[in-house]
Amino acid sequence: MAGAEAADVSEPDGIRPAGVELDPAHDEESSAETFDDGFDDELFGAPGIDGLRYTYNKIYVSNSTVNTGSVQGGQRVDNGAGLARAGNSVPRVVAHEGPISATEILDAVTGFAEPEWFSAALAELDSRVLFLSGEPGTGRRTAALNLLHRHAGGSMNLRAVDSDEDLAAWHPTDTATRGYLVDGLFPARPLQPGAVGNLRRLLNDVGARMVIVLPDDPVIVRSLARALHVTPVRCSPPPPRAVFETRLEAEVPSQTERAQLLANLEPGLLDELLAGRLMPAQVRELVDAVVSTGDGGMTSGDIRNRLSYLVEEEVPDLLRSLRNDPDGLAFLLATCVFEGLDHRIVREQAERLIDLADGQLHSVLLESTGNRPGTGVITGGGARQPGALESSGEPENPQKSLLNPRFIFRRSLADLLHTVGAEYGLKEYHSAHGYTYVVEPVRFTRHRQGEAVLRHVWREYGRLSGLLTSWMGEVNGESDLTQPVGRIMGMAARWGGGRRALLHIRELAESDRATGRAVAAYALGMAAEDPVLASEVKHRLFQWSVRSSWQVRWTVARACGTDFGAARPDQAMRLLRNAYRGQGSRQEVAVGKAVRHALVNLFSTGNQPTVFRHLTTWTDTKSSGVARLSLEIFPHLLVSDTWCQKQLLADDEFAGPIVDLTRRVINDDELSDPMCQALVLWCRAATGDDRHNTAVETLLTALAQDMRHGVLRLFVMIDRDGDPAITGRHIARQALDAWRNGEPPASFPGHADHPTQPHGRTP
């Protein structure tokens, strides 16, 4: 979804009043930058240049789109047409704070092979608190989730506690949660004597248990044993063969099909691959590879060449083979960062790196003048760069043996792919801006090779990190580029460490370029996956959220919309409230847009209760800007997900607040129109869906108990709608008749005593 020039502060096409030009002096962003933030700029509306707000809301419902308010400019519908990008499915968000999703729990439980120590740990958890230590990759988190899930009788009410939480001051958040997982103990806040006893008492009061995962640090383990008189359980993985068999059985329940898959493998291949000391995640990758041979996605001979855990030992040899090949080095690094994107993008970024490096990727430079360093030069000792002219002996004039660096047939793409161990993926069809286009992705043959290469060169070649940071920080504003770059920059912070680990990210967070800030936001989310770096990331984000600089507050908002916020929804909502300052200047409009996008992302990633709880609190806050924000965002959240429907159907915790907010928004002079049109479309979409139909009727019945101007307008629109099967017409018509005749609100079959009704009145 493309943004316009400096999209986060300018109007969408068609919104700007005719004859009015932007004043460059008032533009805080580079006028040359085109930034595609990955969101629809038309979603929340934009302020006109004259200061008036031109409402331009777009709400998506059941493969339809409705525009509400005064609409100008082009229209389009994009509800995911085209094939999904291979390997680009929605990533599983690992919760660090708040409820652990049922998806993650089921993923951990499915195909879990119990290690020898599991029964003892299960018994130790009877004491309410269990310490679990072990090396990274041994399956500590998976085992912890299985322990809690098993002890809770299969309950999905498990919750994550962030690693920097002060457990001495911690207390259970609710009585429904049966288990708590602390993934990493923060070194700066060691537990004191008596803290474990207090934790056990608190957990016993609510019938819950806690597993605390420890880093693989003997000093921490010994200090805990001495100070707290506890013995952490050592997490060691089960034998690789046991993990393989259990996981394969979970993936392929049929014994006949499993036998056929194994029979198709090369003789001795499985024994060879399982002979080493494989971690559970590595065995799982092997299982996935074996299963993929059944549908033709991979041949038996491909398996050895694709497993990621075999790549580490190959990286130094690969780099040595490319030492005198600057084209190959640049293409390798570009593929590492932009793997999965179209080959044209990878090639363009490799060429941009060559130009930016200005000879730093060349092992030998020409001594003669008049030639800039380029590829295809003859190196010292007679060795030739790839592409150099062949000759039968030493040339009399070295200049005659040099290829033109600008020669367009210098290196073929097929040659470069073969050189770095990559290949074309299957063609993918993407759609955007109303048209479809084809992508031919570039991917390494070996899984996760890009990460292994970058980790190696970042740590081993000090000067290269500066070149890569400059190169990645200057990508253009397409979201396809900013996300992978942000991911790599976040991982680099974990590879580097030290007090300067986040320095390259902090500089981008303060940038006037929206692209730089977007990269910083993604990078912060990735860096926060490290338990120690997470504390600094949260510290920086809190500091930035209360600063006057709109750039860093924009970055905070965008970071809250990434995996960082999805894993820590409570903290993300607090940061968003701090960052939002209302709709004043053009810069604050940009921040507000980023905040809205973050709220939508948080709501759509399984954190609906947390988001809604905060929004209902914001409506009563003294800050008029924050209160207004919660009302403006509500129509989109109501119809963009089935969560509100489920709440209304089950009369759950938020059923009453949903009715209250709906009535409050629909009776607001400025927001009534988009709310009414969203609800009318919601009514149309309910046709033929019994659960959706019931939820809509429940809401309309509750609204009918207090017939103010906004509700009246909605019911008139429903009554006059051209769709003869629209849900709720009988409710709207009966309520209107009662209102015209001065009668009290009518009761409707199945809804007269609905518990949401008493909540429906607002003062």
Side-chain angles (χ1 to χ4, degrees):
M1 298 180 182
E5 180 179 281
D8 57 336
V9 293
S10 65
E11 297 82 14
D13 292 342
I15 299 299
R16 185 183 307 164
V20 179
E21 297 298 329
L22 293 177
D23 180 0
H26 292 85
D27 250 338
E28 292 292 328
E29 304 221 352
S30 168
S31 61
E33 180 186 11
T34 299
F35 176 60
D36 175 4
D37 60 2
F39 291 103
D40 192 345
D41 291 338
E42 304 161 356
L43 183 59
F44 302 111
I49 197 70
D50 55 2
L52 299 177
R53 185 172 183 81
Y54 293 79
T55 305
Y56 194 82
N57 292 326
K58 180 176 286 185
I59 300 173
Y60 294 88
V61 180
S62 302
N63 299 313
S64 303
T65 181
V66 60
N67 292 293
T68 59
S70 176
V71 179
Q72 303 178 43
Q75 304 291 292
R76 66 182 173 82
V77 178
D78 184 358
N79 283 322
L83 300 176
R85 178 177 304 171
N88 194 32
S89 57
V90 178
R92 177 173 61 92
V93 176
V94 176
H96 292 278
E97 171 195 280
I100 300 174
S101 69
T103 301
E104 184 182 352
I105 297 171
L106 290 174
D107 188 55
V109 172
T110 303
F112 176 69
E114 287 189 15
E116 294 181 358
W117 51 266
F118 190 82
S119 297
L122 205 59
E124 178 69 20
L125 196 53
D126 285 331
S127 67
R128 301 290 175 180
V129 178
L130 170 70
F131 291 88
L132 192 62
S133 68
E135 300 176 18
T138 53
R140 296 170 301 174
R141 184 180 177 97
T142 299
L145 289 174
N146 275 274
L147 287 166
L148 291 171
H149 181 73
R150 190 83 58 87
H151 238 299
S155 171
M156 294 293 181
N157 289 323
L158 306 181
R159 194 174 184 91
V161 180
D162 221 343
S163 58
D164 65 347
E165 181 75 35
D166 185 0
L167 293 180
W170 178 87
H171 58 84
T173 52
D174 61 76
T175 57
T177 301
R178 301 269 69 86
Y180 294 89
L181 172 62
V182 184
D183 197 353
L185 194 61
F186 195 56
R189 290 179 178 166
L191 288 173
Q192 301 299 322
V196 176
N198 185 54
L199 280 175
R200 288 186 173 127
R201 178 182 59 79
L202 293 172
L203 292 166
N204 186 66
D205 290 343
V206 295
R209 288 167 174 79
M210 175 181 285
V211 175
I212 302 174
V213 176
L214 302 176
D216 186 41
D217 189 334
V219 175
I220 293 178
V221 173
R222 284 196 299 268
S223 63
L224 282 173
R226 287 196 304 266
L228 306 180
H229 306 291
V230 297
T231 304
V233 174
R234 176 73 177 176
C235 176
S236 54
R241 176 73 65 171
V243 178
F244 179 86
E245 292 174 352
T246 305
R247 185 68 193 181
L248 183 62
E249 183 177 356
E251 292 285 339
V252 186
S254 169
Q255 183 176 1
T256 302
E257 292 182 22
R258 292 199 303 273
Q260 183 62 48
L261 286 173
L262 297 178
N264 290 338
L265 299 179
E266 296 177 11
L269 175 63
L270 194 59
D271 292 334
E272 173 193 339
L273 295 175
L274 291 175
R277 184 176 178 271
L278 299 186
M279 297 298 183
Q282 296 169 336
V283 178
R284 182 170 180 172
E285 183 185 357
L286 176 57
V287 171
D288 292 341
V290 171
V291 171
S292 68
T293 63
D295 57 11
M298 183 183 300
T299 66
S300 174
D302 289 336
I303 292 179
R304 187 186 287 103
N305 294 328
R306 292 183 181 270
L307 298 175
S308 67
Y309 54 85
L310 300 178
V311 72
E312 298 287 347
E313 58 197 50
E314 299 173 357
V315 171
D317 290 337
L318 175 61
L319 292 173
R320 275 193 291 271
S321 70
L322 298 174
R323 186 174 183 85
N324 297 322
D325 184 357
D327 274 336
L329 284 171
F331 192 81
L332 171 67
L333 295 171
T335 306
C336 290
V337 176
F338 301 105
E339 183 177 9
L341 298 187
D342 188 75
H343 67 86
R344 301 166 189 84
I345 293 177
V346 177
R347 189 72 181 260
E348 288 170 4
Q349 295 300 322
E351 292 170 353
R352 190 170 65 84
L353 177 58
I354 281 280
D355 292 338
L356 183 66
D358 194 25
Q360 294 182 80
L361 295 178
H362 296 70
S363 61
V364 176
L365 297 179
L366 293 175
E367 295 182 359
S368 57
T369 60
N371 288 274
R372 69 177 180 87
T375 57
V377 299
I378 294 181
T379 63
R384 287 178 172 82
Q385 295 277 24
L389 290 176
E390 298 293 338
S391 64
S392 58
E394 288 297 325
E396 296 180 2
N397 184 354
Q399 291 291 357
K400 294 181 180 179
S401 299
L402 299 179
L403 284 178
N404 178 4
R406 294 184 173 182
F407 184 49
I408 60 176
F409 292 102
R410 186 174 67 246
R411 297 289 295 279
S412 70
L413 180 61
D415 180 25
L416 290 170
L417 289 170
H418 175 75
T419 300
V420 303
E423 61 187 2
Y424 283 121
L426 296 175
K427 287 185 178 181
E428 301 167 359
Y429 296 85
H430 298 184
S431 63
H433 314 297
Y435 61 88
T436 300
Y437 60 95
V438 179
V439 170
E440 298 180 79
V442 170
R443 291 191 175 91
F444 286 112
T445 303
R446 180 80 73 196
H447 293 173
R448 302 185 69 178
Q449 178 172 322
E451 179 183 339
V453 169
L454 290 172
R455 181 171 58 247
H456 178 84
V457 299
W458 194 276
R459 296 178 67 92
E460 298 294 331
Y461 302 96
R463 297 181 64 183
L464 183 63
S465 61
L467 173 62
L468 292 181
T469 298
S470 299
W471 171 58
M472 290 188 290
E474 295 177 4
V475 295
N476 62 37
E478 300 173 21
S479 59
D480 278 355
L481 303 186
T482 55
Q483 293 186 32
V485 166
R487 175 178 174 272
I488 296 301
M489 284 197 165
M491 294 170 67
R494 294 153 59 181
W495 300 332
R499 295 188 61 184
R500 298 171 59 86
L502 296 181
L503 182 61
H504 61 296
I505 301 176
R506 287 161 54 189
E507 292 174 353
L508 288 174
E510 299 172 345
S511 171
D512 285 337
R513 297 181 70 243
T515 300
R517 301 195 303 272
V519 168
Y522 289 117
L524 289 167
M526 179 57 66
E529 291 299 307
D530 181 271
V532 177
L533 271 180
S535 64
E536 183 179 354
V537 170
K538 291 192 285 187
H539 172 73
R540 298 294 178 192
L541 288 175
F542 174 77
Q543 283 188 323
W544 295 345
S545 71
V546 296
R547 279 175 53 178
S548 59
S549 167
W550 71 272
Q551 289 96 331
V552 295
R553 285 188 286 110
W554 188 98
T555 304
V556 170
R558 282 301 295 267
C560 290
T562 67
D563 286 353
F564 172 86
R568 302 169 177 84
D570 270 311
Q571 183 166 28
M573 292 299 292
R574 291 191 293 269
L575 290 171
L576 290 172
R577 176 172 176 169
N578 289 344
Y580 187 72
R581 307 289 167 81
Q583 299 287 346
S585 65
R586 297 170 62 85
Q587 292 76 32
E588 292 304 335
V589 170
V591 176
K593 178 183 164 187
V595 169
R596 288 173 171 82
H597 289 154
L599 289 171
V600 172
N601 270 3
L602 287 172
F603 195 80
S604 65
T605 51
N607 294 303
Q608 295 95 334
T610 301
V611 173
F612 202 86
R613 190 176 290 112
H614 280 270
L615 288 180
T616 53
T617 303
W618 291 2
T619 59
D620 298 322
T621 186
K622 294 180 180 179
S623 170
S624 59
V626 171
R628 194 71 184 165
L629 171 65
S630 63
L631 299 179
E632 291 172 350
I633 200 70
F634 175 70
H636 181 82
L637 302 184
L638 176 68
V639 299
S640 65
D641 192 271
T642 60
W643 181 80
C644 290
Q645 296 178 26
K646 294 175 182 176
Q647 290 289 313
L648 291 168
L649 284 170
D651 192 35
D652 279 346
E653 174 187 357
F654 297 100
I658 287 172
V659 175
D660 290 341
L661 262 180
T662 303
R663 180 177 287 109
R664 185 165 176 176
V665 175
I666 207 171
N667 288 323
D668 184 283
D669 290 340
E670 295 183 14
L671 301 177
S672 179
D673 185 59
M675 185 80 251
C676 284
Q677 295 202 37
L679 286 172
V680 168
L681 186 62
W682 211 36
C683 292
R684 293 177 191 163
T687 304
D689 185 333
D690 291 341
R691 289 179 58 81
H692 191 172
N693 189 298
T694 303
V696 169
E697 290 190 350
T698 299
L699 178 59
L700 295 180
T701 301
L703 292 176
Q705 307 308 305
D706 188 3
M707 297 282 287
R708 302 191 190 183
H709 64 281
V711 177
L712 280 169
R713 187 164 177 264
L714 170 66
F715 285 175
V716 169
M717 292 173 67
I718 294 174
D719 186 39
R720 297 177 179 176
D721 191 80
D723 183 355
I726 187 171
T727 297
R729 190 191 301 276
H730 66 290
I731 297 176
R733 186 165 294 172
Q734 190 170 344
L736 288 171
D737 290 342
W739 176 80
R740 291 172 184 135
N741 297 327
E743 299 173 358
S747 296
F748 303 96
H751 300 287
D753 300 319
H754 196 282
T756 59
Q757 290 184 15
H759 301 285
R761 299 183 181 276
T762 53

